[in-house]
Amino acid sequence: MTSGHAITRDLAQAVRRSAQRTGERAPSVRGADWRTATVSAVTTKTVTADGIVCRRFKGDTTPVIGDQVVISQSGNGNWITLGPLA
């Protein structure tokens, strides 16, 4: 027979693991993030880089497929591109 303490401990561990997995996937929990990516598509207002659609800055007029760019994610999950790297 399993003790009540062991059941409580196991439940607490399961809840912690679940919360961690959820937090790892939720931008609002992770906070802002940035990384480099390769442009695969360009539209008038967005670029797609590594499968992520990102808003372009108004002055970013020359993105090209294959460019290495910096992309940044806000805490609420929106993505922007900071333009090509040298």
Side-chain angles (χ1 to χ4, degrees):
M1 179 181 263
T2 306
S3 72
H5 180 352
I7 292 171
T8 302
R9 183 189 64 234
D10 292 346
L11 177 60
Q13 288 174 344
V15 169
R16 274 193 297 273
R17 283 191 303 270
S18 176
Q20 181 177 1
R21 281 191 304 271
T22 300
E24 289 169 348
R25 294 182 194 123
S28 60
V29 174
R30 288 193 328 258
D33 189 19
W34 72 270
R35 66 188 183 106
T36 60
T38 303
V39 173
S40 59
V42 178
T43 70
T44 56
K45 294 184 180 183
T46 66
V47 298
T48 301
D50 290 357
I52 300 167
V53 178
C54 308
R55 298 274 306 182
R56 292 172 41 196
F57 278 104
K58 193 173 187 177
D60 184 12
T61 59
T62 59
V64 176
I65 293 173
D67 279 352
Q68 284 285 55
V69 295
V70 174
I71 60 176
S72 182
Q73 181 182 38
S74 68
N76 67 3
N78 293 314
W79 286 90
I80 60 170
T81 180
L82 303 175
L85 296 170

